[in-house]
Amino acid sequence: MQQKIDKDNLLILATTIVMAITIYLIFIYSPTDIEMGVIQNVFYFHVALAWTSFLAFFIVFISSIQYLRNESRNWDITAYTSAEIGVLFTGLTLILGSIWAEATWGVFWTWDPRLTTTLIMFIIYIGYLTLRHSLETEKTSRLSAVYGVIAFISVPITYISIEIWDTIHPRVIEISEVRMETSMQITMIFSVIAFTLLYITLMRIRKKIEKDRDKVYRSKKIK
Amino acid sequence: MKDYFSKTLQLAYKDLLIEIKTKEMITSMAAFSAIVIIILNFAVTENLSNNYSEMFPGLLWITYIFAAILGLNQSFAFERESGAIKGVLLTPIDWSAIYIGKTISNYIIILSVELLTLIFFIFLFNLTGVITALPKILLVIIVGTFGFVSVGTLLSAITSSSRLQTMILPVLLFPIIIPVVIGSVEATTIALNNGENYLPWIQMLSAYAVIFFTASILTFNYVMGE
């Protein structure tokens, strides 16, 4: 028990340090973009959050399959908590992306394949969480796991379909190749690591809460 | 294997027989489609018969998807209401047969409503230009509908044990079937304009239908088990 708590604290400490370094890198170390100015700094957060939310939804998919295979409560909690954090991070990705898009493209939103898929994914996993809350049977975990599997399969197909659709229709805004300086690359890498660590930390804390809730529930039931 | 198929068809036949006797689903879905068309008449101020090739595919598929949701919502209601699901589950076959049977019956019912809706559209908006492209459009309808009915039936089985029931099915189903909607609308537009790239869309729709049908068969046992 003691060792486990230490591990958690260590993780929180590591996340805090890496995050602090990242913020230093983003706001002070990395050069301000000549064309876009300060707004470019949003990009570091945006990309890191987007990557982490994709990871989170992938974890939902994997844990759902694992749950269906062996019905272990641990996988169920992993799927659920990962979906929660994924939805939060995707929401932030969309908001930060819109802010960046307004400054760069002049519009908050454009129906680019990547943007559209992200929005659809966001809605799919809001549906996943709503479904979970609304199920009132003993099969809750199993039914949500089935949806977790089906939902993730649809993401790549949606992306492909929007992509071909887009090649038939002209694209409004063409994204030019972004060439980055070394210092910017370093900042980006740190930012991705920091947010991945944040995701792992949040997952651990959230899973612990869920396991504690299970314990309380069980002891209540026994009495 | 032969036994499996005959039992599957038997399960589908049971649902269709109920539908033929009561006519509940077809009547309400067709009435709903008609109402949507009437509302569209007021919502789309532009004369649809002049400029149909741009607007019509989108409007048609919106009507289809909304009408189909009504049917899918009800697909497991009969079994749940009277506890008849237990009887079905006791049938000595793999539970995937229940899913396939349900999908077949849903597919036939929804497809017939869609054909009715298409006739309403052509008749009420005087879309004579659509008739020449009819074979191509029918192919899109046949393939596209199977895509969303296959995954819709599975999700309907899931949501039938949810507290929100009819409310949550569209929320879960619509984002997942977006590829089908895009593909069907595009293929219908191309069919109307006699354009290129018709086949790639049909291929995509078929691929989608196959992937989701298989995934649903594989996961359905988990949905049914107690």
Side-chain angles (χ1 to χ4, degrees):
Chain A
M1 194 65 200
Q2 190 61 41
Q3 207 188 352
K4 204 181 164 220
I5 291 165
D6 282 345
K7 230 182 181 176
D8 273 358
N9 283 342
L10 212 68
L11 192 64
I12 294 170
L13 190 70
T15 312
T16 318
I17 292 169
V18 178
M19 197 56 100
I21 295 171
T22 309
I23 288 172
Y24 169 81
L25 288 175
I26 291 174
F27 289 107
I28 297 162
Y29 170 73
S30 77
T32 314
D33 197 279
I34 302 163
E35 279 171 40
M36 284 172 264
V38 194
I39 199 77
Q40 188 59 24
N41 290 344
V42 167
F43 208 64
Y44 298 115
F45 291 105
H46 171 75
V47 171
L49 279 166
W51 145 252
T52 322
S53 44
F54 270 109
L55 176 74
F57 293 142
F58 186 63
I59 299 280
V60 176
F61 176 58
I62 297 293
S63 332
S64 296
I65 291 177
Q66 286 298 330
Y67 179 78
L68 289 179
R69 282 177 58 182
N70 56 25
E71 303 242 322
S72 112
R73 175 79 179 133
N74 189 35
W75 284 116
D76 182 36
I77 296 174
T78 311
Y80 174 49
T81 51
S82 193
E84 264 186 351
I85 298 168
V87 166
L88 174 70
F89 280 12
T90 318
L92 289 172
T93 309
L94 289 170
I95 293 169
L96 288 178
S98 300
I99 294 170
W100 184 84
E102 218 290 320
T104 334
W105 301 337
V107 282
F108 280 109
W109 186 263
T110 147
W111 294 101
D112 174 81
R114 184 151 294 164
L115 272 68
T116 317
T117 333
T118 312
L119 184 63
I120 293 167
M121 218 165 64
F122 184 55
I123 297 167
I124 285 179
Y125 286 94
I126 287 176
Y128 174 87
L129 294 177
T130 321
L131 175 73
R132 251 199 111 96
H133 283 292
S134 73
L135 288 169
E136 283 171 335
T137 61
E138 285 157 4
K139 298 191 291 178
T140 304
S141 328
R142 222 185 311 150
L143 295 180
S144 351
V146 170
Y147 186 65
V149 174
I150 297 285
F152 195 82
I153 300 172
S154 88
V155 174
I157 304 176
T158 312
Y159 189 83
I160 292 164
S161 72
I162 297 170
E163 186 88 284
I164 8 180
W165 182 41
D166 241 46
T167 52
I168 295 167
H169 287 251
R171 225 180 255 190
V172 184
I173 293 147
E174 206 75 55
I175 307 164
S176 56
E177 277 290 318
V178 185
R179 251 178 270 129
M180 279 198 290
E181 269 183 53
T182 331
S183 61
M184 283 178 160
Q185 276 174 5
I186 294 169
T187 315
M188 188 60 89
I189 291 164
F190 257 91
S191 166
V192 168
I193 295 170
F195 275 94
T196 313
L197 275 174
L198 180 67
Y199 165 72
I200 297 168
T201 314
L202 285 175
M203 276 288 282
R204 280 189 82 96
I205 296 169
R206 188 66 187 80
K207 272 174 83 172
K208 220 166 86 188
I209 293 171
E210 211 56 32
K211 276 176 184 161
D212 287 348
R213 188 175 286 164
D214 273 5
K215 259 184 224 158
V216 172
Y217 185 72
R218 262 202 304 273
S219 56
K220 257 186 184 171
K221 226 178 176 182
I222 291 162
K223 274 173 194 171
Chain B
M1 203 61 191
K2 208 177 167 191
D3 187 49
Y4 180 86
F5 279 120
S6 78
K7 277 178 179 154
T8 308
L9 290 178
Q10 196 90 129
L11 283 166
Y13 176 69
K14 170 210 69 165
D15 287 325
L16 290 174
L17 199 66
I18 294 173
E19 184 51 38
I20 289 166
K21 294 265 190 247
T22 60
K23 298 178 193 67
E24 279 170 348
M25 263 160 86
I26 290 192
T27 321
S28 39
M29 279 158 78
F32 178 82
S33 301
I35 287 292
V36 171
I37 292 173
I38 292 169
I39 294 170
L40 285 177
N41 172 46
F42 293 107
V44 184
T45 44
E46 211 178 325
N47 193 353
L48 199 65
S49 51
N50 293 337
N51 198 12
Y52 63 90
S53 64
E54 268 179 33
M55 298 280 283
F56 172 67
L59 297 177
L60 181 75
W61 281 94
I62 289 172
T63 318
Y64 280 2
I65 301 286
F66 283 153
I69 273 289
L70 288 183
L72 289 171
N73 259 329
Q74 281 303 307
S75 65
F76 281 91
F78 276 123
E79 273 86 352
R80 294 277 169 196
E81 263 170 28
S82 47
I85 190 81
K86 284 204 178 105
V88 178
L89 289 177
L90 284 171
T91 322
I93 29 163
D94 193 71
W95 283 339
S96 60
I98 300 172
Y99 165 76
I100 298 174
K102 242 337 165 206
T103 310
I104 293 171
S105 63
N106 275 341
Y107 183 54
I108 293 171
I109 293 169
I110 290 171
L111 209 57
S112 40
V113 172
E114 286 180 346
L115 291 179
L116 269 177
T117 312
L118 187 64
I119 295 167
F120 286 166
F121 256 108
I122 294 173
F123 184 67
L124 293 174
F125 286 110
N126 194 25
L127 302 172
T128 41
V130 175
I131 295 169
T132 49
L134 217 50
K136 275 185 171 177
I137 293 176
L138 284 179
L139 182 65
V140 181
I141 292 174
I142 287 168
V143 183
T145 306
F146 191 75
F148 73 79
V149 167
S150 62
V151 62
T153 307
L154 176 80
L155 292 184
S156 145
I158 293 177
T159 53
S160 66
S161 35
S162 158
R163 181 164 40 84
L164 297 169
Q165 280 205 4
T166 54
M167 251 175 83
I168 196 154
L169 182 62
V171 180
L172 300 184
L173 184 62
F174 287 170
I176 289 186
I177 61 168
I178 281 176
V180 175
V181 181
I182 294 172
S184 306
V185 171
E186 282 300 311
T188 315
T189 313
I190 292 165
L192 278 178
N193 296 328
N194 228 341
E196 287 168 25
N197 285 323
Y198 173 76
L199 232 63
W201 283 112
I202 295 291
Q203 282 167 349
M204 199 215 77
L205 286 173
S206 321
Y208 181 94
V210 169
I211 291 169
F212 274 86
F213 190 53
T214 321
S216 302
I217 291 172
L218 291 175
T219 48
F220 191 74
N221 277 4
Y222 299 107
V223 176
M224 275 295 131
E226 290 302 322

